[in-house]
Amino acid sequence: MALGEFELIKRYFYQSARAFGVQMGIGDDCALLQAPEGKVIAVSMDTLVGGIHFPRNADPELIAERALRVNLSDLAAMGAEPLWFTLGLTMPKVDERWMEGFARGLFTVADEYNIALVGGDTTRGPLAITIQVHGAVESDHALMRANARVGDLIYVTGNVGDAAAALAVIRQELTVGKSAFNYFMSHYYRPQPRLKEAKMLRGISQCAIDVSDGLLADLGHICEESGVGAKIDLERIPVSTALNKVAEAEQIADWALAGGDDYQLCFTVSPDKLGQVQALIDAGKLHANAIGEIVKGSGVEVLLEGEVFEPKRRGYNHFDTDA
Ligand code: ADP
Ligand code: MG
C-alpha cells in the first residue's frame, strides 16, 4: 500500500510486544522468533474474503475477533499453545474507523490468549483477511487426525449445533427471544478456541480435530486419516438448553451433526486413558461427553437408541459416505 502504510501499521498494529521468544516483531524485514526448547512449531493459516466469508459491511471488530479465534482453534486441535501470529490485510481503501474497530477486536482476542502479532502485509484490493498463527507443542503430544485406534472412545467438548442455529437466525430462518439471540450470536461471532481443554488432554488423547465443518464431516476426517470407522449415538451428542428450546428434535439433530462453526474439539481416548479423562470431567475441569467409539471399517455411523439413523445431511463432499 502506498503513502501512509507505515503510519497505519504503527498506529493500529504496533501493540503487542511481550510474547515469548520475540527477538524482533513488527518493523523489520522479518520477525525473529525463538522456538521454545524441545518443542515443534505448529503453523496454520485461514483466509476470510469479504462478500464470501462475511458480508463486506460486517462489523470489523467481530470480523477480526472471529478470524483470530478460528485460527486459534486450529492450534487447540493440534494440542499446541499459541505464541505468535501474522496478518495479511487487503483493503479497497484505508478507512480509519474500520481499522480502529478491526484492531480493537484483534487485540481483545490476542490479549485474551496471549498471542503476539509479529508481522504481516498490507495491500490495496478487495477486502480480505489472512491470519497465520504459530504455536508450540511437544512433538509426541501433538493431537493428530491419524492417531485414532479401534476401541478408542470419541468425545466432544461443550455443545454442538449452536453456531448453525445462529446462522439460521442471521439468515432470518429462525426467530428467537432476546436472551437466546444474544446467546447464539456470541457462539457464532466469538467461538471459544478450546486451548485449555487441549492442554488438559496432553498425554491423555493423541487425536483431535476442531469441529468447523460439522461433527460428521470432521469426525469423518479423523476416520479417513486413521483408516478406521466411527459409531456415534445421537442421544449422547451434547446440545445446549438454548438450542433444545428453539427447535424440534429433527432440526436439532441436523444442526448438531452437520452444522459447522462450533469450534468444539472432537477427540479420541484409548481404553487405558479413560479413567484420566473421566477424572477431569468429574472434577468439573473438562466439559466433554463421550459420544461413541472408533470401530473397524470406514465412515461415521449414527445410531439412535441402537438403530441406524440416517442423517439429513452429512456435510462436506470429502466425507466418506460409505458408512
Ligand atoms: P516489506 O516491504 O519488507 O514487505 P512492509 O512495509 O510490508 O515491509 O512491512 C513493514 C513491517 O510492518 C514488517 O515488519 C511487517 O511485518 C509489518 N506489517 C505490515 N503489514 C502488517 C500488518 N497488516 N499487520 C502486522 N504487521 C504488518
Ligand atoms: Mg510487505
Side-chain angles (χ1 to χ4, degrees):
M1 189 163 284
L3 204 72
E5 178 197 352
F6 219 77
E7 279 312 303
L8 188 85
I9 294 162
K10 260 203 170 136
R11 186 172 318 155
Y12 295 109
F13 295 141
Y14 231 118
Q15 299 198 21
S16 39
R18 319 161 304 270
F20 177 91
V22 182
Q23 284 181 19
M24 178 70 217
I26 295 173
D28 213 311
D29 299 312
C30 293
L32 295 174
L33 309 166
Q34 177 70 53
E37 213 181 316
K39 296 192 179 180
V40 291
I41 299 293
V43 179
S44 177
M45 176 188 275
D46 272 299
T47 296
L48 300 178
V49 179
I52 295 177
H53 300 106
F54 60 87
R56 280 193 197 85
N57 63 358
D59 181 347
E61 188 169 346
L62 291 180
I63 299 169
E65 273 218 26
R66 193 161 185 280
L68 186 51
R69 286 173 180 282
V70 165
N71 271 279
L72 286 164
S73 176
D74 280 318
L75 289 180
M78 207 62 185
E81 284 184 75
L83 293 171
W84 319 297
F85 72 107
T86 52
L87 168 69
L89 195 53
T90 306
M91 299 173 293
K93 61 178 172 26
V94 175
D95 175 340
E96 298 235 354
R97 278 191 54 195
W98 192 95
M99 288 293 290
E100 241 164 63
F102 186 84
R104 203 180 321 120
L106 197 68
F107 288 104
T108 299
V109 181
D111 293 346
E112 184 180 343
Y113 293 98
N114 224 355
I115 186 166
L117 179 61
V118 296
D121 200 20
T122 310
T123 52
R124 204 180 287 271
L127 185 60
I129 295 137
T130 297
I131 290 180
Q132 183 170 47
V133 286
H134 306 77
V137 60
E138 283 111 356
S139 66
D140 54 347
H141 285 152
L143 303 172
M144 313 274 281
R145 295 179 183 186
N147 281 350
R149 299 289 174 267
V150 173
D152 287 0
L153 285 200
I154 304 160
Y155 289 79
V156 65
T157 61
N159 297 307
V160 287
D162 286 337
L167 213 54
V169 172
I170 292 167
R171 290 182 181 146
Q172 304 185 331
E173 296 158 5
L174 175 71
T175 316
V176 298
K178 192 160 187 275
S179 78
F181 179 87
N182 292 336
Y183 172 85
F184 288 124
M185 289 308 115
S186 79
H187 276 68
Y188 182 77
Y189 286 111
R190 298 195 172 85
Q192 307 288 315
R194 297 289 152 188
L195 289 156
K196 276 199 206 106
E197 289 79 356
K199 201 169 171 178
M200 280 182 232
L201 292 173
R202 185 176 301 171
I204 295 178
S205 173
Q206 301 289 329
C207 166
I209 192 166
D210 59 332
V211 181
S212 55
D213 295 345
L215 186 58
L216 283 180
D218 289 313
L219 179 54
H221 294 322
I222 286 183
C223 290
E224 250 172 66
E225 295 303 319
S226 296
V228 296
K231 268 191 176 133
I232 58 175
D233 296 308
L234 187 55
E235 60 271 29
R236 293 206 282 172
I237 296 172
V239 296
S240 68
T241 320
L243 186 56
N244 267 317
K245 278 188 190 153
V246 299
E248 301 296 324
E250 197 186 339
Q251 178 65 82
I252 293 172
D254 177 62
W255 283 338
L257 291 169
D261 299 326
D262 284 310
Y263 299 101
Q264 298 293 343
L265 286 187
C266 177
F267 60 96
T268 72
V269 180
S270 61
D272 58 315
K273 298 283 167 65
L274 293 179
Q276 288 183 52
V277 79
Q278 195 55 47
L280 288 171
I281 293 170
D282 291 344
K285 290 180 183 161
L286 177 65
H287 295 282
N289 285 282
I291 60 167
E293 197 181 333
I294 297 293
V295 296
K296 276 189 196 154
S298 68
V300 182
E301 185 168 74
V302 185
L303 301 174
L304 176 58
E305 284 153 12
E307 304 285 321
V308 174
F309 174 87
E310 200 39 61
K312 222 166 81 184
R313 288 184 297 159
R314 285 225 166 230
Y316 275 54
N317 52 1
H318 38 254
F319 179 71
D320 186 345
T321 48
D322 295 345

